[in-house]
Amino acid sequence: MMELVNLINQYSGLLSVMVAFITAIITLIYVIFTYKQMKASQDSLKLAIKQFKVDKQPCIVYKTIKSEGTHCFYKQRRQLHINLKIENIGDAPAMSIYVFSYLQLQNSNLKSKVNMDYLPDYVPFLKAGTKTKVSVRYETDEINLLLEDLSVTSAKNVHRINTDATREAYKGVDLVIEIYYKNLLGQWFVNERHTEVLEVLERKENGKTQIVNPPNSLKEDVWFELQLIATAFSKCDIRMADKQEIKEKLEPYGRYREMGKDE
């Protein structure tokens, strides 16, 4: 027995080293195993998120654009309302929907982009498979710029027809509508459509319309609407957008609204 005790005492240092080494190996194996488990969990989560991004997305679209222009009221003020019925044809809710619009003039050297008046329309959320109505508004100054630009285009096209009708027609003002929205993960998307304005139509009491020629001869006491090019000939693009882009879009309207934390 004493011999065994002496043997243990003699090799105690070596035994301590071996125990420490074995403990280190076991600890290393445990760390590696734990890391692999954590990595597998992270990869599974990333894969699930990626699959969600692919499979579950909102998609905001609309078919037609309806316009309604008022007669002049209160010191020659008039308005032009652009009305849409948007639908979420995706398979996930759309959140924080903002509707912007601007006019892209074709004949102005000073200002080619004319923004809508006042705030973008806003819808907090839209469930998959549902619809809602939205609108934006233009006021007197913007309407007058639209009418003047269309009148120049009309004069150019009359001259073209009289001189060489085979030449390509001059393009009218583009009505641009931008609809921003995000999914549940906070990714932003935008549906942007460019639709050419062909004519200005005066509304008659019998429900019929008549072309205003030239457009800037629109009378102050009549209601009007815009004749737009067919949807099939409009330029439409749905793409991803980043958070900075929507912040910059909302910045000019900061004095009217308080920026939310999610924008």
Side-chain angles (χ1 to χ4, degrees), residues 44-55:
S44 298
L45 180 60
K46 289 180 180 179
L47 181 61
I49 293 175
K50 184 177 181 180
Q51 192 66 27
F52 179 85
K53 290 179 180 179
V54 174
D55 294 343

Side-chain angles (χ1 to χ4, degrees), residues 108-119:
S108 174
N109 295 323
L110 299 177
K111 188 176 184 180
S112 60
K113 182 178 179 180
V114 178
N115 288 317
M116 63 185 185
D117 186 80
Y118 196 53
L119 291 169

Side-chain angles (χ1 to χ4, degrees), residues 174-188:
D174 261 351
L175 171 64
V176 184
I177 297 174
E178 300 168 311
I179 303 177
Y180 284 81
Y181 58 95
K182 67 179 179 179
N183 62 15
L184 292 174
L185 296 177
Q187 291 177 300
W188 284 94

Side-chain angles (χ1 to χ4, degrees), residues 102-160:
Y102 66 89
L103 301 171
Q104 189 71 54
L105 305 182
Q106 304 297 320
N107 303 291
S108 174
N109 295 323
L110 299 177
K111 188 176 184 180
S112 60
K113 182 178 179 180
V114 178
N115 288 317
M116 63 185 185
D117 186 80
Y118 196 53
L119 291 169
D121 206 348
Y122 175 71
V123 179
F125 66 90
L126 189 63
K127 295 188 295 184
T130 59
K131 302 177 182 180
T132 191
K133 294 180 180 180
V134 295
S135 66
V136 293
R137 186 182 77 201
Y138 290 92
E139 287 277 351
T140 310
D141 290 343
E142 295 84 37
I143 295 171
N144 288 338
L145 289 172
L146 166 67
L147 297 177
E148 288 299 326
D149 201 81
L150 288 174
S151 297
V152 175
T153 298
S154 177
K156 286 183 176 180
N157 279 320
V158 170
H159 179 72
R160 174 187 61 84

Side-chain angles (χ1 to χ4, degrees), residues 63-81:
K63 292 182 179 179
T64 58
I65 301 172
K66 294 185 178 180
S67 60
E68 184 176 41
T70 70
H71 64 285
C72 288
F73 61 95
Y74 186 65
K75 298 182 179 180
Q76 298 184 324
R77 178 187 178 188
R78 74 190 324 160
Q79 295 177 336
L80 171 63
H81 299 270

Side-chain angles (χ1 to χ4, degrees), residues 29-41:
I29 293 174
Y30 175 77
V31 170
I32 293 174
F33 179 75
T34 304
Y35 173 78
K36 287 186 175 180
Q37 277 193 320
M38 182 182 67
K39 188 71 167 58
S41 298

